[in-house]
Amino acid sequence: MQEKFDIALPGDLAISLDNDALRSTIEMLFKPGIQPYNLLLEALTEENRDKYGSSKFDAIAFEVKRFDPITFKGRIRVNYKLQLTFSCSAIVNDLHNQHSYWNFEIDPILKTAHFEGEEYGDLRSTSNEF
């Protein structure tokens, strides 16, 4: 599977060519409590579903891996701490230094950004077994 989502960008947003400034912009776009942040949490929850337990994300940080200012395409790494709670046994498991890579594309005309996570899950094919 692969998680995807789109977010609306502020009308006055200036796209920076500098990776540090772009990281600051991404942090502003994914500020806790607003819709893009919630979409990211939903996507990360789905991506981590195979770890079971109830997910809680903490210490989310962004790292710009690449950005092409001509095509407005790039890649970010989302670093986070994942806390899994297993309610039946009251066990809490803290997973530090977790990360996820996301490709993104900005549409400067429509003022939107499209994010696609990496494929995850069982990617094996039964065709290789025969």
Side-chain angles (χ1 to χ4, degrees), residues 102-117:
W102 293 81
N103 294 318
F104 67 93
E105 183 173 357
I106 296 170
D107 186 326
I109 310 254
L110 295 176
K111 294 288 187 180
T112 60
H114 176 73
F115 290 84
E116 286 188 12

Side-chain angles (χ1 to χ4, degrees), residues 1-4 39-51 55 57 102 120-121:
M1 298 209 33
Q2 182 180 39
E3 297 303 314
K4 302 174 187 181
L39 290 172
L40 177 62
L41 289 184
E42 288 173 20
L44 290 174
T45 299
E46 284 300 316
E47 197 173 86
N48 286 283
R49 187 171 296 285
D50 66 341
K51 294 177 181 164
S55 303
F57 298 90
W102 293 81
Y120 64 90

